[in-house]
Amino acid sequence: QVQLVESGGGLVQPGGSLRLSCAASGSIFSIYAMAWYRQAPGKQREFLARVVSGASPNYADSVKGRFAISRDNAKNTVTLQMNSLKPEDTAVYYCRAANSYGVGNWGQGTQVTVSS
């Protein structure tokens, strides 16, 4: 079983940047893909970015060109660099790890608030 812990959230002004990190532990060798999602109050969880070994990352249109996902296999971490943040980006951000069968689990989430 994989355990995931997100960090790096906080308060940032519109147009600012923030970097989120997700540390994986446990059965890390079972991880095939890692991804970031977010969920605002009263809304469904939204896919943001995903990285799979041997492939280029893919992004949701809402964050394409602003967010960048990267995976450090040696450190068992995945990061989400967020630039040009907007108030609409305010949400709890979650990390997800999945195996090659698509079965995954979630971290606890980290709050990101974009406000002036």
Side-chain angles (χ1 to χ4, degrees):
Q1 192 172 23
V2 175
Q3 294 81 47
L4 303 169
V5 179
E6 301 95 336
S7 62
L11 176 64
V12 64
Q13 294 185 352
S17 299
L18 209 60
R19 176 175 286 184
L20 307 181
S21 295
C22 174
S25 61
S27 302
I28 58 175
F29 292 107
S30 67
I31 299 176
Y32 172 71
M34 299 190 74
W36 286 96
Y37 292 72
R38 68 186 179 191
Q39 187 167 23
K43 297 184 178 180
Q44 293 185 342
R45 193 161 296 185
E46 174 190 12
F47 165 79
L48 299 175
R50 175 172 50 241
V51 61
V52 179
S53 297
S56 300
N58 62 295
Y59 300 92
D61 289 339
S62 60
V63 303
K64 195 173 299 181
R66 299 190 299 122
F67 291 10
I69 188 172
S70 63
R71 181 177 177 180
D72 188 334
N73 291 319
K75 296 183 178 180
N76 302 316
T77 60
V78 62
T79 64
L80 185 68
Q81 178 66 46
M82 305 186 296
N83 300 320
S84 302
L85 285 164
K86 308 172 182 179
E88 308 92 85
D89 295 320
T90 297
V92 177
Y93 284 68
Y94 296 92
C95 177
R96 184 175 190 263
N99 62 21
S100 59
Y101 297 97
V103 178
N105 61 320
W106 302 88
Q108 296 296 314
T110 184
Q111 176 70 47
V112 172
T113 302
V114 184
S115 176
S116 59

